[in-house]
Amino acid sequence: MAPIPTSREGYHFKADTIHEGLYTEAAIESTKSPKPFYDVIVIGSGFTGLTAARDLSTAGKSVLLIEARDRIGGRTWATRSRGHYMEMGGTWVYWTQPHVWSELKRYGLDRELKQTTGTSGDLEVLQFKSRGSDPLKEYSFDGPGGYNVIMETAIYKFLDVDGAGGTKILARPYDRDFVRNIPLKFMKLTCKDRLDQLPELPQEHKDLIASMFETIGCASIDKTPFFEILRWFGLSGFTFRGWLASVDELSLKRGTTSLALAIMDESRADIVLSSPVASVIRSRTEPLTTITTRTGKVFRTTKVICTLPVNCLGDVSFDPPISPLKLAAAREQHLTKIVKVHTYTSEKLVPTFVSSLSPSKIPFGYTESDVHDSKEGGGTFSVFFGSESELDRCTPLATFRELKKILPSEFNNEKRNPKFNPKEMFWHDWTNDEFAKGAWCTFPMGWQENYLDALREDEQGGSCIFANADWADGWRGFIDGAFEMGRSSAWRVLKEERNANRASKL
């Protein structure tokens, strides 16, 4: 019998007992006999690395993926319980995300999608707390004075810094030259600054949109850049409904791991897992780079694609050294510091979405999927995002116990889900994850204008390309941004060789 694929990552909490490690189909086997030299070595097997390795290897290049984890997928992977796939990291896909959608079409997965119950059309009300200690308030979604009407009106005013709802300022969000020329004054605004410029908005409406903006980076509005919000809405068509659909509506039935496995199945690249890179050293006498892992494995290549997340750029020794600005960004860290928690309740829950303003132990959460197979016990899976700074983080067990204590108050009220009581919890602690040090990337104030160009620069004389969703042109921090960067980095390697071959024939 084949062993059950399991990662050492993640935790399962049940009956006041914690179990380390979770089932995942992403825990594949390493190549048995990797070679000492490859045309290209890709550091990291998140979607950026997987895509780059696939495109290069299917174009005839010998490629090695070196992965620190015991699984593929990076900040995107899924586990399973009671027939339900739970995304422990990145989740959402939608046709407004062009790169990921083309990948889904490529593998026939565009027909393997599901709708999250807590963000679906079945959702009748939003539950909201102005502050963590406040009672829950309910807002109906539709009709006059409903949540959708409030949000569409208020967000248009929020984005309208140009008399056109933001559409002139960010007319071409993928064009880095266009974005570079956006007036600096808009980069200097926090979300709070912008809300303070709108005295005509009722405070209640400001609190509602502030709570939504705080879900973008799980940070307070005085730390969240206005430009980050403008970017997300610009990529979604500058509407509230378009934004909701783009960022929290559809996910893969069998998890994002099904997409990662489809890419690996097509790829001809070799892979070594559980092999964190220690150093990347470029020879000063010949076009050769030596990569050494922490366990002493040594591989050589002429070209490197480094897909390390921004928060981890300082964890590998580069010689020649990489840009001081890359290292400064790694020291400062991006905003999103959370734990992602899935809960299982034996009771079937009414579709629910809840959010609250910071400081809050649970910034937001929602019902995700009902268990329809009676043999699996019925019930509902839900998802919550826990604040790193507010929860008891002394031990994983302490965190689980606190979550079990406070989660009922997030969903319970007399009319809706009065018996919310999580029987099991599954989580990934992204903040204390050594190879991520945070969840999806949300830029802090100052990063757009001070660090972005440096993060995108090649290093070591152009032999080392840096590619990651954290500095994508489009959906930064999303699966789509990872595909954008993986494709473009592979194409650059192939184009460089093609141009060199043409020049040699002249």
Side-chain angles (χ1 to χ4, degrees), residues 173-220:
Y174 281 93
D175 184 338
R176 63 178 62 176
D177 292 324
F178 182 90
V179 172
R180 221 177 256 125
N181 290 321
I182 292 175
L184 190 60
K185 65 180 181 179
F186 297 116
M187 308 292 181
K188 298 292 186 182
L189 280 177
T190 67
C191 286
K192 183 179 185 304
D193 293 334
R194 179 56 186 152
L195 286 172
D196 288 345
Q197 293 174 355
L198 302 170
E200 72 277 12
L201 277 183
Q203 188 60 47
E204 180 183 9
H205 295 184
K206 287 184 179 182
D207 285 346
L208 280 173
I209 62 173
S211 72
M212 187 193 66
F213 294 157
E214 289 183 350
T215 68
I216 286 178
C218 291
S220 59

Side-chain angles (χ1 to χ4, degrees), residues 251-273:
S251 59
L252 285 156
K253 289 180 181 177
R254 293 182 294 116
T256 49
T257 297
S258 64
L259 178 54
L261 291 173
I263 296 170
M264 278 300 296
D265 187 56
E266 180 183 1
S267 178
R268 299 172 187 172
D270 289 346
I271 185 169
V272 290
L273 297 159

Side-chain angles (χ1 to χ4, degrees), residues 402-420:
E402 182 176 31
L403 286 167
K404 186 173 177 62
K405 179 180 179 180
I406 65 176
L407 280 174
S409 66
E410 296 294 316
F411 265 17
N412 281 3
N413 64 43
E414 293 181 0
K415 297 179 182 178
R416 306 172 62 81
N417 303 324
K419 297 181 180 180
F420 178 77

Side-chain angles (χ1 to χ4, degrees), residues 223 225 228 332-335 442-449:
K223 295 180 180 178
E228 283 290 278
E332 291 182 20
Q333 306 274 290
H334 68 62
L335 287 177
T442 308
F443 275 12
M445 293 296 298
W447 277 35
Q448 179 76 27
E449 60 271 32

